[in-house]
């Protein structure tokens, strides 16, 4: 087989796999995991009926992969790690991280099927949640926790680091859950237009960094 043909088949495989994930997200979010079949997914994707097993091994494995994919589409581990590894002070790295994630959540389009599915899994975990936790949530949590620890000048295992990390993650969960359909009904005066997003992102960053500084001062004063 010529190299061009190999590349074409590989590219076609990537496209088919992506199409299966997208259609599965839509159908799973509408019908639930237990009532969705591989046949429905492959029919919606316009692929061979064996495609789910070929690309993922089973419909259960497809669902697991879909959860990890949805989490990574919000923010990937590579992007988090790249920002957290910049050669600048930890406060500046954390500010970059906050700004990046805030911008992603605030500037994203309306609620997608994959995000609805991810939220359903988080609030009502299935056995697949353990895969999501191990492959996506925990690795990203370690990156954020280590950066918060550096910002506080404390070891990662210090109790104050855990509480500070939760405080930093909390607003992002609010943005993720509320998206642009719920948040405006709760805060009608909040500017969510594209021109207003930078100011809102700066406000979130200032609030978080100020809180972390106050916590660091309090912790070091108490321990000192």
């Amino acid at each position: 087989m010529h190299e061009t043909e190999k590349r074409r088949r590989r590219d076609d495989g990537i496209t088919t796999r992506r199409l299966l994930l997208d259609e599965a997200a839509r159908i799973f979010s509408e019908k639930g995991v237990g009532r969705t079949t591989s046949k429905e997914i492959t029919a919606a994707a316009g692929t061979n009926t064996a495609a789910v097993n070929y690309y993922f091994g089973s419909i259960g494995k497809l669902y697991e992969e879909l959860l990890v994919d949805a989490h990574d589409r919000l923010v990937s581990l590579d992007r988090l790690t790249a920002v957290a590894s910049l050669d600048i002070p930890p406060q500046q790295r954390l500010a970059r991280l906050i700004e990046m994630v805030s911008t992603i959540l605030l500037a994203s389009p309306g609620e997608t099927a994959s995000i609805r599915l991810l939220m359903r899994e988080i609030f009502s975990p299935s056995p697949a949640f353990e895969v999501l936790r191990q492959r996506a949530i925990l690795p990203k949590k370690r990156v954020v926790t280590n950066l918060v620890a550096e910002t506080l000048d404390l070891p990662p295992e210090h109790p104050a680091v855990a509480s500070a990390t939760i405080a930093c993650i909390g607003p992002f969960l609010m943005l993720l859950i509320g998206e642009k359909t719920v948040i405006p009904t709760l805060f009608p005066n909040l500017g969510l237009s594209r021109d207003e997003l930078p100011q809102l992102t700066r406000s979130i960053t200032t609030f978080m960094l100020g809180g972390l500084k106050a916590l660091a001062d309090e912790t070091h004063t108490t321990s000192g």
Side-chain angles (χ1 to χ4, degrees):
M1 184 184 297
H2 292 297
E3 186 63 32
T4 301
E5 180 66 14
K6 289 182 181 179
R7 187 180 304 109
R8 187 186 66 78
R9 289 193 177 187
R10 184 167 59 249
D11 292 344
D12 288 347
I14 293 172
T15 300
T16 301
R17 191 176 187 279
R18 179 72 262 164
L19 185 58
L20 287 167
L21 286 169
D22 291 342
E23 291 298 335
R26 181 181 62 79
I27 298 173
F28 279 138
S29 67
E30 292 172 356
K31 300 184 63 176
V33 178
R35 295 186 297 159
T36 299
T37 65
S38 295
K39 186 176 180 179
E40 288 177 283
I41 296 171
T42 54
T47 62
N48 185 285
T49 54
V52 167
N53 286 343
Y54 177 80
Y55 286 101
F56 301 98
S58 68
I59 192 169
K61 294 294 184 183
L62 166 59
Y63 181 66
E64 293 173 356
E65 191 66 29
L66 183 57
L67 293 176
V68 175
D69 178 72
H71 206 278
D72 285 346
R73 289 174 78 171
L74 286 175
V75 59
S76 69
L77 179 60
D78 287 344
R79 290 189 69 181
L80 284 178
T81 302
V83 175
S85 302
L86 291 172
D87 188 20
I88 54 179
Q91 292 83 357
Q92 294 180 28
R93 279 180 275 149
L94 187 58
R96 294 272 190 96
L97 197 64
I98 293 169
E99 290 169 5
M100 179 184 74
V101 178
S102 296
T103 301
I104 290 171
L105 295 179
L106 290 168
S108 63
E111 187 179 87
T112 63
S114 61
I115 299 306
R116 288 199 302 272
L117 199 65
L118 183 60
M119 289 298 96
R120 176 184 293 178
E121 183 64 30
I122 289 174
F123 287 115
S124 182
S126 73
F129 181 78
E130 183 58 22
V131 173
L132 174 65
R133 190 176 78 91
Q134 292 291 341
R135 288 180 54 189
I137 296 175
L138 287 182
K140 296 172 190 177
K141 175 249 180 186
R142 280 191 286 270
V143 173
V144 176
T145 298
N146 288 337
L147 187 49
V148 169
E150 278 193 80
T151 303
L152 295 174
D153 193 22
L154 292 170
E157 63 273 11
H158 193 287
V161 173
S163 59
T165 303
I166 291 173
C168 288
I169 293 174
F172 297 130
L173 291 178
M174 175 65 180
L175 294 175
L176 182 59
I177 295 167
E179 285 211 35
K180 292 186 178 180
T181 56
V182 176
I183 290 177
T185 67
L186 298 175
F187 304 98
N189 296 323
L190 184 66
L192 288 176
S193 69
R194 183 171 296 276
D195 291 338
E196 293 169 311
L197 292 184
Q199 178 57 50
L200 180 55
T201 299
R202 284 193 294 271
S203 296
I204 294 172
T205 304
T206 300
F207 182 82
M208 286 190 185
L209 291 181
L212 288 175
K213 183 180 185 307
L215 180 60
D217 292 343
E218 178 185 314
T219 303
H220 288 294
T221 298
T222 303
S223 61

